Amino acid sequence: MDLLFFDLDGTLLDSESEISNFTQEILVKLKLNNIAYSAATGRTMLTGTDILKGHGFHLPQVYSNGVTIWDPRNNSLSLEHLLGSSEISIIIEAAGLQGITPFVHAVSESEYSIYHAKPRHDIEKELISARYQNTEAKIMSLDQLTDMSQVTNVSMIGIAAAVEEVQRELNKNRNLVSYSGPAMEGSPYKWMDIHHCKASKGAAVKKIKDILGATNLICFGDSDNDLSMFKISDESYAPANAKSKLKEVANDVIGPNDKDGVAHFLKKRFAL
């Protein structure tokens, strides 16, 4: 049994962070040919599930770089390697020293919550209004966060130099791993996401592979957080826009994400 796992941003999604019409057609053909597929993304459930809805993603899905596994078949949630209160405090302090307001993400079976202190910059206010306020997430004050909150990750956005300084500081902590990149809001800004070092896409994907009894795992990804997935796959493919280290370990380099590289590869690979 083949099992395909797609990273989203920079891989399956196009330059507008959407599933293109052609990719939609290929996903339909995968389903008609009983080829199993799912997604493993650094996105949280809050922003990831809506993208996948209506495109045949009915198997367990990986969010927050492996911290969260959600099974849409029975709406069950599996959480592993959550952030503890001491780790959250370290992140908040490091961000505060650079004038950045972090967003603490917590999830339960019934709700998604985002905790934050008062925003310090317009870019943070824009993030709240554009991405968070019109979702199902509960937006709460940071002082409402408790030790019982199931924190999957902490995210932030800010001037690139400030975010990079926070990342350098957090890299000193062996319990934390962080990923960052250019923000959609414009070139002066970067985003960063932090979670527990024991969580990874690879571990979560392997768990799902074993549950489903798949014999051939095929993974697609473009960035650092996909390396763990590539290491446990039987086949791995990186789009042309991927980071060099992904291209070096992949079985092959396929077309870029903004040219439907994954979809064209699948069409040929499975004669769809």
Side-chain angles (χ1 to χ4, degrees):
M1 170 190 171
D2 288 322
L3 175 60
L4 282 57
F5 260 95
F6 308 116
D7 167 55
L8 295 182
D9 296 279
T11 303
L12 188 68
L13 305 184
D14 60 20
S15 55
E16 301 298 319
S17 295
E18 297 176 347
I19 296 178
S20 72
N21 291 333
F22 181 65
T23 297
Q24 290 180 40
E25 294 173 9
I26 295 301
L27 291 175
V28 169
K29 291 180 179 179
L30 287 176
K31 190 168 181 60
L32 290 174
N33 284 273
N34 295 313
I35 300 170
Y37 62 88
S38 190
T41 176
R43 285 177 177 254
T44 63
M45 285 184 62
L46 182 67
T47 61
T49 51
D50 283 347
I51 290 175
L52 302 182
K53 192 178 299 181
H55 298 298
F57 284 83
H58 302 310
L59 294 176
Q61 302 158 14
V62 177
Y63 294 98
S64 299
N65 288 315
V67 178
T68 305
I69 297 177
W70 178 59
D71 192 339
R73 299 172 299 181
N74 54 18
N75 197 33
S76 64
L77 197 65
S78 173
L79 301 172
E80 294 189 359
H81 307 303
L82 297 167
L83 288 172
S85 56
S86 62
E87 292 144 356
I88 296 167
S89 296
I90 289 169
I91 297 169
I92 292 172
E93 181 179 358
L97 290 173
Q98 297 302 319
I100 295 176
T101 300
F103 297 89
V104 181
H105 299 253
V107 65
S108 70
E109 293 285 353
S110 59
E111 62 185 23
Y112 193 103
S113 303
I114 301 174
Y115 300 85
H116 66 88
K118 184 178 179 179
R120 308 185 191 197
H121 305 286
D122 288 342
I123 190 67
E124 295 166 344
K125 296 175 183 177
E126 291 171 13
L127 179 68
I128 295 169
S129 62
R131 298 200 200 178
Y132 295 156
Q133 284 186 338
N134 296 322
T135 68
E136 297 178 356
K138 292 178 64 176
I139 311 300
M140 306 177 73
S141 171
L142 186 61
D143 58 19
Q144 293 178 278
L145 184 70
T146 72
D147 290 341
M148 299 299 292
S149 301
Q150 300 182 115
V151 176
T152 58
N153 62 293
V154 179
S155 64
M156 61 188 73
I157 188 171
I159 296 295
V163 172
E164 290 165 1
E165 184 57 37
V166 176
Q167 189 168 31
R168 279 191 289 270
E169 184 62 28
L170 295 181
N171 284 343
K172 299 175 184 177
N173 190 298
R174 297 176 62 182
N175 289 336
L176 301 173
V177 62
S178 61
Y179 299 103
S180 67
M184 295 173 60
E185 288 74 8
S187 57
Y189 304 105
K190 290 186 78 171
W191 60 266
M192 183 163 64
D193 188 73
I194 308 103
H195 61 82
H196 199 283
C197 67
K198 290 184 178 179
S200 70
K201 286 188 182 183
V205 167
K206 186 179 186 306
K207 183 176 181 179
I208 296 170
K209 175 190 176 184
D210 293 342
I211 291 172
L212 298 178
T215 54
N216 189 47
L217 178 64
I218 306 174
C219 294
F220 301 82
D222 74 307
S223 197
D224 297 344
N225 58 344
D226 297 310
L227 283 170
S228 63
M229 193 165 61
F230 276 29
K231 288 178 181 177
I232 55 97
S233 66
D234 298 289
E235 301 176 40
S236 58
Y237 299 95
N241 54 282
K243 290 188 174 182
S244 297
K245 61 179 71 175
L246 271 293
K247 296 178 184 179
E248 291 170 4
V249 300
N251 286 86
D252 201 0
V253 177
I254 60 178
N257 71 307
D258 60 357
K259 299 293 183 182
D260 296 322
V262 171
H264 283 291
F265 170 83
L266 294 173
K267 180 178 175 65
K268 182 177 181 180
R269 172 73 162 72
F270 294 101
L272 299 174

